[in-house]
C-alpha cells in the first residue's frame, strides 16, 4: 500500500516549484508586454507612415487639381454640344415637316392645330373604321407634343408654349373619344342590318393596332341569353336578367393608350436669361475711334496745302511735295488696312466670346436638367380618399378598357328603297345599371355585379397578378372599390372580375416591383457602343446604347428568355424609356420612388458627377455594382471598374474598387470578396480630382484614345440612361 502512494514533496521542493512557476509567469508577462509594445510601436509607425503618405498624396492632389478639373471641363463640353445638336435636330424636324406637305399639321404651331381640330369637329358622319384611321394621325400628334414637353429643356420652353401644348393634347384626347362615341351611334343605328343569323343579336369586332371595339346589341331580348362571348375569343360578359330583357347595347372599347388619367403637370421653371452681346457694336466703335484719330492728320494736310499752293514752287520743292503726297497716300492705305484688320479681329473675338458664353449657359442648363432627373421630392403625394389609387406607387399597363351599357337607338327601316332612321337629339345615351331608384328593396330584384372577362395585352409584362381599378368620373380619380372576384388566368392572359357599375377600367402593377436592383453592369461593346444590364428580383434587362439611340437587347424572366415587341427597335432615350414603362419593364425611379423603396441614399450632386464621368469613360471601361456602396455614407459612392477590358476571359478580367465623393477619386485596397470594409488606399495608387484621371493612371493608349474620341451624343445618351435608372442609389 505504501508503494502505491505518491511520494510526498518536501517543503523546499514545493517552494522551488512555486518559485519556478512565478519566474515563468513573470517572464511570459515581460515577453507579452514587450511584444505588445513592439506591435504598438509598429502600429504607430505604420499610422505615421500612412498619414505622411496620405498628406503627401493630398498635397500632390491639390497641386494638380485645377489642371485636372480644367481638363474634365473640356471633356464635359460634350454635354452642351449634344444639347446643341438636339436643338438643331428639332429645328430640322420642323423644316422636314414643312417641305413634306402631307397635309398633317405641325403640332408646335397653334394656328395649324386649331385649324386641324376645328375642321375635324365639323365632320359628323365618319364610320368607326374612318375614325380609327384618323386616330393614327391624332395619336402621333399627341405623342409628338408629349415628347416635346419631355425632351425640351425648360429654358427652351416658354410658359405659353407649355400651356398651348398641354391644351392641344387635352383637346385632341377629348375630340378623339367624342368621335368614337359618334361612330358608335352610327354603327348601332344599323344594328338590325348586322344581326347574327343564329342569335338574332348584333355582334361586331373591329380591331386595329391602337384600338379594338367589341360591340353587342340586344335585338332579340331573350331572357335566356345571359352569356355574351365574342366570336373566337373568351372576351365577354355575364349579364343579369334585367339587361338580357332590355333594349341595350354593350360596348367594350379597348384603347392601347390612356387618355383618361390627367396628364401630369409640367414643372414650370423660370427660364435662364441669356446675356445678349451685340456683335456689330464693338467693331463699329473701334472703327469710329480709328477714324477719329486719322481725321486730324487729314485736316492738317488739307489746311497746309492751300497756303503752299499760293506760292510759286521750284522743281526741288515740287519733287519734295510729290514725295510727301506719296508718303501720305501710303500712310492712309496702311491706316485703312489697320482699321479693317482691327475690325475683323474684334468681330471674330466678339463672336468667339458670344459662342463661349452661349455654351457656358447651355452647360449650366444641361447640368440643372440632369440634377432634376435625380432629385427626391420632400413630400409624399397625398391620397384624399381611402379607395383612391396612388399613381406614384402603381402604374397603368395595357391601356384602358371603356365598358359601357348603352341604350339601343332607333333602328333604320327600309321604306320604298329608302333607309329611314330616327335621329335622337341628345345622341348616344347610357343605360343606368343599377337603376338610380326603385320602389321596394325586393330580394328578387337585386342588381348583381356584371361578370366581365378581358384579355391582357400581349405586349405587357405582369410580374404578379394584375390588379383591376375603375375610373371615378366625379372625383377624377382611379378607385379600387366596386370590383370583386378577380381571377387571372396567366397562361391564357385572361382576367375575370365582377363590376358593379360600368365605366373605364384598367390594370395596374406596382411601379417599383423591379426595385431595388440586385446588380447592374455597364460594359463597352466597341466605339460608341455599350451594354447596360440591370438585374432585378424578377428579370434581367439588357439595353444596347449606340450613338444617340437605345434598344432593348433582351429580357430574361426567371432565367428564361422572354420575347418582347421592343427588341430590335432603336429609339432615342426619352421615347425608349416611355416604351419600356408601357411594357411593364419599369427600372426608372421617379422623384417620389424613395417613399416606396428602401434605397441607398446618395447626395444628388455626387451621384450626378459620377454618372457624367462614367459616361465619359464608357467607351473603354466597364463599370459594375459593388456591395461596398451600401457601407459608405451618402456623400460617397463605390463601384467596380474593369481596368483591363481587353482581357480575353471574362472571369480573369481584373476589377478595381473606386470610391468617389464628387471631388476626389481613389482606388480602394479591399476587394469585392473582402470581409471588412476599409477606406485604405490601394498600394501604388494616388488621389485624383476626377474618375477620368484616376483610371488614366493605369490606362492604355488605346483606351484613352477611345475615351477622347467618343461621340458627344453617345456620351449624353449613356449619361441619360444612368441618370434615369439611378443604379448607384437603387441597387
Amino acid at each position: 500500500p505504501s508503494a502505491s502512494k505518491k511520494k510526498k514533496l518536501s517543503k523546499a521542493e514545493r517552494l522551488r516549484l512555486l518559485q519556478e512557476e512565478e519566474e515563468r509567469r513573470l517572464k511570459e508577462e515581460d515577453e507579452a508586454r514587450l511584444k505588445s509594445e513592439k506591435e504598438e510601436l509598429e502600429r504607430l509607425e505604420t499610422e505615421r507612415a500612412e498619414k505622411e503618405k496620405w498628406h503627401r498624396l493630398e498635397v500632390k492632389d491639390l497641386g494638380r487639381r485645377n489642371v485636372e478639373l480644367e481638363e474634365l471641363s473640356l471633356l464635359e463640353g460634350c454635354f452642351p454640344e449634344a444639347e446643341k445638336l438636339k436643338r438643331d435636330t428639332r429645328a430640322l424636324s420642323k423644316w422636314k415637316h414643312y417641305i413634306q406637305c402631307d397635309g398633317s399639321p405641325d403640332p408646335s404651331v397653334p394656328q395649324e392645330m386649331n385649324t386641324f381640330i376645328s375642321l375635324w369637329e365639323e365632320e359628323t358622319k365618319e364610320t368607326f373604321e374612318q375614325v380609327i384611321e384618323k386616330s393614327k394621325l391624332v395619336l402621333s400628334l399627341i405623342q409628338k407634343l408629349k415628347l416635346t414637353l419631355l425632351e425640351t429643356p425648360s429654358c427652351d420652353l416658354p410658359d405659353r408654349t407649355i400651356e398651348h401644348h398641354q391644351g392641344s393634347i387635352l383637346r385632341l384626347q377629348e375630340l378623339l373619344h367624342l368621335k368614337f362615341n359618334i361612330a358608335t351611334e352610327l354603327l348601332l343605328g344599323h344594328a338590325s342590318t348586322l344581326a347574327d343569323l343564329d342569335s338574332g343579336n348584333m355582334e361586331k369586332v373591329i380591331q386595329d393596332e391602337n384600338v379594338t371595339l367589341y360591340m353587342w346589341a340586344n335585338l332579340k331580348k331573350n331572357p335566356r341569353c345571359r352569356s355574351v362571348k365574342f366570336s373566337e375569343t373568351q372576351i365577354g360578359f355575364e349579364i343579369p336578367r334585367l339587361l338580357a330583357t332590355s333594349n341595350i347595347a354593350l360596348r367594350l372599347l379597348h384603347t392601347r393608350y390612356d387618355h383618361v388619367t390627367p396628364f401630369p403637370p409640367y414643372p414650370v421653371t423660370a427660364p435662364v436669361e441669356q446675356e445678349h452681346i451685340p456683335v456689330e457694336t464693338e467693331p463699329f466703335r473701334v472703327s469710329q475711334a480709328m477714324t477719329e484719330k486719322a481725321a486730324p492728320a487729314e485736316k492738317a494736310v488739307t489746311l497746309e496745302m492751300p497756303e503752299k499752293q499760293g506760292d510759286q514752287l521750284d522743281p526741288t520743292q515740287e519733287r519734295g511735295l510729290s514725295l510727301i503726297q506719296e508718303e501720305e497716300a501710303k500712310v492712309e492705305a496702311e491706316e485703312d488696312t489697320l482699321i479693317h484688320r482691327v475690325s475683323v479681329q474684334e468681330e471674330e473675338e466678339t463672336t468667339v466670346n458670344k459662342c463661349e458664353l452661349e455654351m457656358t449657359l447651355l452647360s449650366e442648363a444641361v447640368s440643372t436638367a440632369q440634377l432634376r432627373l435625380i432629385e427626391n421630392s420632400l413630400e409624399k403625394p397625398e391620397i384624399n380618399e381611402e379607395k383612391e389609387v396612388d399613381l406614384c406607387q402603381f402604374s397603368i399597363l395595357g391601356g384602358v378598357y371603356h365598358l359601357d351599357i348603352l341604350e339601343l337607338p332607333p333602328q333604320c327601316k327600309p321604306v320604298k328603297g329608302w333607309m329611314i332612321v330616327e335621329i335622337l337629339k341628345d345622341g348616344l345615351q347610357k343605360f343606368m345599371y343599377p337603376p338610380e331608384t326603385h320602389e321596394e328593396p325586393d330580394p328578387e330584384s337585386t342588381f348583381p355585379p356584371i361578370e366581365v372577362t378581358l384579355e391582357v395585352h400581349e405586349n405587357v409584362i405582369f410580374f404578379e397578378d394584375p390588379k383591376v381599378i375603375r375610373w371615378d368620373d366625379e372625383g377624377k380619380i382611379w378607385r379600387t372599390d366596386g370590383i370583386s372576384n378577380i381571377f387571372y388566368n396567366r397562361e391564357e392572359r385572361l382576367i375575370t372580375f365582377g363590376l358593379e357599375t360600368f365605366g373605364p377600367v384598367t390594370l395596374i402593377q406596382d411601379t417599383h416591383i423591379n426595385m431595388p436592383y440586385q446588380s447592374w453592369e455597364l460594359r463597352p461593346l466597341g466605339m460608341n457602343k455599350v451594354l447596360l444590364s440591370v438585374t432585378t428580383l424578377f428579370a434581367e434587362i439588357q439595353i444596347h446604347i449606340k450613338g444617340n439611340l437605345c434598344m432593348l437587347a433582351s429580357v430574361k424572366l426567371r432565367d428564361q428568355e422572354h420575347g418582347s415587341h421592343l427588341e430590335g427597335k432603336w429609339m432615342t432615350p426619352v421615347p425608349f424609356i416611355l416604351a419600356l414603362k408601357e411594357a411593364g419593364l419599369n427600372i426608372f425611379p421617379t422623384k417620389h420612388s424613395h417613399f416606396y423603396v428602401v434605397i441607398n441614399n446618395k447626395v444628388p450632386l455626387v451621384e450626378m458627377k459620377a454618372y457624367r464621368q462614367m459616361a465619359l469613360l464608357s467607351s473603354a471601361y466597364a463599370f459594375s455594382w459593388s456591395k461596398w456602396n451600401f457601407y459608405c455614407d451618402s456623400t460617397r459612392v463605390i463601384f467596380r471598374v474593369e481596368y483591363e477590358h481587353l482581357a480575353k476571359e471574362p472571369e480573369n478580367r481584373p476589377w478595381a474598387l473606386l470610391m468617389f465623393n464628387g471631388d476626389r477619386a481613389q482606388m480602394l485596397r479591399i476587394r469585392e470578396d473582402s470581409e471588412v470594409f476599409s477606406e485604405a488606399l490601394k498600394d501604388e495608387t494616388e488621389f485624383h480630382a476626377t474618375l477620368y484621371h484616376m483610371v488614366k493612371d493605369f490606362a492604355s493608349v488605346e483606351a484613352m484614345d477611345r475615351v477622347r474620341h467618343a461621340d458627344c451624343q453617345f456620351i449624353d445618351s449613356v449619361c441619360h440612361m444612368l441618370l434615369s435608372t439611378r443604379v448607384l442609389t437603387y441597387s
Side-chain angles (χ1 to χ4, degrees):
S2 60
S4 62
K5 293 181 179 179
K6 292 183 179 179
K7 186 179 179 181
K8 293 184 178 180
L9 297 174
S10 64
K11 186 177 182 179
E13 288 176 341
R14 287 198 304 270
L15 290 173
R16 181 178 59 79
L17 290 175
L18 289 173
Q19 187 176 1
E20 288 178 355
E21 185 178 350
E22 180 67 16
E23 289 176 354
R24 185 167 57 251
R25 185 181 65 79
L26 292 174
K27 184 178 180 181
E28 289 176 354
E29 287 181 354
D30 287 341
E31 289 177 352
R33 179 177 56 80
L34 291 173
K35 183 179 179 181
S36 176
E37 290 177 354
K38 183 180 179 182
E39 290 176 351
E40 180 66 15
L41 289 174
E42 289 177 352
R43 186 184 67 80
L44 292 174
E45 179 62 24
T46 302
E47 286 185 358
R48 186 192 62 79
E50 287 288 338
K51 286 182 179 179
E52 286 184 358
K53 178 183 176 182
W54 194 276
H55 178 70
R56 187 171 62 254
L57 292 176
E58 281 184 333
V59 172
K60 188 175 182 181
D61 177 42
L62 290 173
R64 64 191 177 196
R65 173 172 294 273
N66 292 335
V67 176
E68 291 184 348
L69 291 177
E70 287 178 3
E71 189 172 357
L72 176 66
S73 178
L74 291 175
L75 291 172
E76 289 188 335
C78 63
F79 294 111
E81 187 64 34
E83 185 58 42
K84 193 175 180 182
L85 290 175
K86 291 179 188 176
R87 285 181 175 179
D88 296 341
T89 302
R90 288 193 290 268
L92 183 61
S93 65
K94 289 185 178 182
W95 172 247
K96 286 183 177 179
H97 180 274
Y98 176 77
I99 62 177
Q100 276 179 351
C101 298
D102 58 357
S104 63
D106 185 347
S108 63
V109 181
Q111 295 82 355
E112 293 189 23
M113 289 301 298
N114 292 334
T115 302
F116 173 78
I117 292 173
S118 299
L119 291 176
W120 197 28
E121 286 175 338
E122 296 175 359
E123 300 177 14
T124 58
K125 299 296 182 181
E126 292 174 295
T127 64
F128 215 95
E129 290 81 358
Q130 289 174 330
V131 175
I132 285 180
E133 189 63 30
K134 191 68 168 284
S135 70
K136 296 177 182 179
L137 172 59
V138 174
L139 293 174
S140 70
L141 293 175
I142 293 174
Q143 184 70 3
K144 287 179 182 178
L145 289 170
K146 287 184 177 180
L147 289 178
T148 299
L149 292 174
L150 292 172
E151 290 182 320
T152 310
S154 56
C155 60
D156 291 344
L157 272 181
D159 293 350
R160 186 177 179 182
T161 302
I162 296 172
E163 292 175 1
H164 160 255
H165 288 355
Q166 290 180 334
S168 296
I169 291 172
L170 185 60
R171 290 179 65 190
L172 287 172
Q173 290 177 346
E174 292 176 346
L175 182 57
L176 180 59
H177 193 68
L178 175 63
K179 289 292 183 177
F180 280 132
N181 287 339
I182 295 173
T184 299
E185 183 181 3
L186 291 175
L187 180 62
L188 289 177
H190 296 80
S192 58
T193 63
L194 301 172
D196 182 67
L197 296 178
D198 296 331
S199 65
N201 296 320
M202 186 205 85
E203 178 187 311
K204 184 75 172 178
V205 178
I206 302 176
Q207 193 164 3
D208 184 70
E209 57 182 347
N210 298 315
V211 179
T212 301
L213 172 71
Y214 300 92
M215 182 71 71
W216 179 81
N218 190 14
L219 299 173
K220 287 297 184 181
K221 305 175 186 61
N222 186 352
R224 291 177 297 178
C225 185
R226 307 270 293 272
S227 180
V228 179
K229 296 292 181 183
F230 292 94
S231 59
E232 300 181 358
T233 71
Q234 296 296 317
I235 300 170
F237 311 92
E238 294 293 333
I239 60 176
R241 181 183 178 86
L242 174 64
L243 296 182
T245 57
S246 298
N247 192 41
I248 62 160
L250 299 176
R251 181 181 73 169
L252 166 56
L253 179 64
H254 180 200
T255 60
R256 311 293 189 272
Y257 49 83
D258 174 18
H259 286 176
V260 177
T261 308
F263 192 65
Y266 184 85
V268 179
T269 56
V272 180
E273 294 184 1
Q274 297 189 7
E275 182 180 346
H276 295 283
I277 301 177
V279 179
E280 299 179 357
T281 54
E282 293 298 328
F284 174 74
R285 290 174 184 172
V286 175
S287 302
Q288 189 177 16
M290 293 299 295
T291 307
E292 290 175 355
K293 290 180 181 178
E298 293 178 0
K299 290 180 180 178
V301 173
T302 53
L303 288 173
E304 290 175 1
M305 286 297 291
E307 295 178 359
K308 294 182 179 180
Q309 286 177 357
D311 301 329
Q312 189 69 26
L313 299 178
D314 56 22
T316 305
Q317 291 176 333
E318 288 180 358
R319 285 195 301 273
L321 182 60
S322 174
L323 291 173
I324 290 173
Q325 291 175 345
E326 291 177 3
E327 191 66 27
E328 288 175 351
K330 290 180 181 179
V331 170
E332 289 178 0
E334 290 176 358
E335 287 177 350
D336 291 341
T337 304
L338 179 60
I339 292 171
H340 178 70
R341 287 178 180 174
V342 171
S343 301
V344 172
Q345 184 178 359
E346 289 291 335
E347 185 175 354
E348 291 177 352
E349 290 178 358
T350 305
T351 304
V352 169
N353 292 336
K354 184 181 178 182
C355 291
E356 290 178 355
L357 179 60
E358 180 186 357
M359 294 303 289
T360 302
L361 293 173
L362 188 57
S363 178
E364 293 175 358
V366 170
S367 299
T368 302
Q370 290 176 342
L371 195 59
R372 191 180 295 121
L373 282 175
I374 57 175
E375 67 180 1
N376 292 329
S377 176
L378 300 178
E379 297 181 358
K380 187 176 180 180
E382 293 185 1
I383 302 300
N384 300 320
E385 299 189 25
E386 182 181 356
K387 297 297 183 179
E388 181 180 353
V389 178
D390 184 358
L391 292 181
C392 291
Q393 184 178 4
F394 295 96
S395 296
I396 293 174
L397 297 177
V400 176
Y401 302 85
H402 298 264
L403 300 171
D404 297 293
I405 306 175
L406 306 171
E407 293 183 1
L408 196 60
Q411 296 301 297
C412 59
K413 298 177 182 179
V415 178
K416 297 182 180 180
W418 293 82
M419 296 296 291
I420 299 177
V421 62
E422 180 183 354
I423 304 297
L424 297 178
K425 183 179 180 182
D426 297 331
L428 199 63
Q429 296 295 312
K430 291 187 177 181
F431 182 90
M432 296 303 299
Y433 180 87
E436 293 183 350
T437 59
H438 54 277
E439 297 177 356
E440 298 179 358
D442 186 359
E444 297 181 0
S445 300
T446 57
F447 305 100
I450 301 173
E451 184 180 293
V452 181
T453 301
L454 303 176
E455 184 179 17
V456 178
H457 195 270
E458 60 182 357
N459 293 337
V460 177
I461 298 175
F462 282 96
F463 298 97
E464 295 178 344
D465 290 353
K467 298 178 181 179
V468 185
I469 59 174
R470 66 177 184 86
W471 176 250
D472 179 5
D473 196 47
E474 291 184 3
K476 302 299 180 185
I477 57 173
W478 289 99
R479 303 177 62 92
T480 57
D481 57 348
I483 301 168
S484 58
N485 302 325
I486 301 175
F487 174 74
Y488 180 53
N489 187 333
R490 184 172 290 274
E491 293 182 358
E492 297 184 7
R493 298 180 67 85
L494 294 174
I495 188 164
T496 303
F497 54 92
L499 192 61
E500 293 180 4
T501 58
F502 267 32
V505 299
T506 189
L507 308 179
I508 58 173
Q509 180 172 251
D510 186 354
T511 300
H512 311 97
I513 195 169
N514 285 310
M515 302 176 203
Y517 320 130
Q518 293 183 334
S519 65
W520 61 272
E521 182 179 280
L522 182 69
R523 178 170 297 280
L525 300 178
M527 193 64 183
N528 298 325
K529 296 180 189 176
V530 296
L531 179 68
L532 175 62
S533 302
V534 178
T535 303
T536 72
L537 180 63
F538 295 98
E540 180 185 350
I541 302 170
Q542 294 188 333
I543 300 170
H544 274 307
I545 306 174
K546 178 182 177 182
N548 67 330
L549 300 174
C550 304
M551 182 194 71
L552 181 64
S554 68
V555 179
K556 289 183 180 179
L557 304 181
R558 299 176 180 86
D559 297 328
Q560 294 182 355
E561 291 287 342
H562 178 84
S564 173
H565 69 290
L566 296 176
E567 293 182 19
K569 295 182 179 179
W570 290 95
M571 291 175 269
T572 52
V574 173
F576 176 73
I577 291 171
L578 292 177
L580 280 188
K581 287 182 177 180
E582 291 173 357
L585 301 172
N586 193 346
I587 52 172
F588 308 100
T590 66
K591 63 180 181 179
H592 297 109
S593 294
H594 62 285
F595 291 115
Y596 310 100
V597 184
V598 178
I599 67 171
N600 186 11
N601 191 39
K602 301 296 179 183
V603 175
L605 186 60
V606 175
E607 193 180 355
M608 183 191 73
K609 287 183 177 180
Y611 294 145
R612 285 168 65 102
Q613 296 183 38
M614 287 164 63
L616 285 171
L617 298 166
S618 60
S619 275
Y621 295 92
F623 299 92
S624 180
W625 166 87
S626 171
K627 68 179 181 181
W628 299 117
N629 188 43
F630 181 77
Y631 290 87
C632 62
D633 59 30
S634 61
T635 62
R636 291 168 293 181
V637 295
I638 296 177
F639 48 87
R640 293 188 296 163
V641 59
E642 188 182 58
Y643 54 90
E644 288 184 16
H645 175 65
L646 299 179
K648 294 182 179 179
E649 299 179 2
E651 60 272 11
N652 295 328
R653 289 171 177 164
W655 290 87
L657 282 173
L658 286 185
M659 185 169 70
F660 184 57
N661 66 358
D663 296 319
R664 174 185 290 174
Q666 69 181 80
M667 196 174 292
L668 299 179
R669 185 181 298 169
I670 59 173
R671 299 190 305 271
E672 187 65 22
D673 56 358
S674 298
E675 296 182 357
V676 181
F677 176 67
S678 171
E679 296 183 11
L681 192 67
K682 187 175 182 180
D683 297 334
E684 299 180 359
T685 61
E686 300 177 351
F687 298 133
H688 284 281
T690 71
L691 294 176
Y692 170 78
H693 294 91
M694 185 73 252
V695 301
K696 190 177 179 181
D697 283 350
F698 52 79
S700 64
V701 176
E702 179 187 358
M704 284 294 97
D705 186 63
R706 291 169 70 178
V707 170
R708 294 190 194 96
H709 292 87
D711 181 64
C712 65
Q713 290 183 301
F714 163 75
I715 296 172
D716 182 72
S717 298
V718 174
C719 184
H720 189 90
M721 292 304 297
L722 292 174
L723 289 165
S724 299
T725 53
R726 300 190 65 182
V727 291
L728 293 174
T729 297
Y730 281 81
S731 294

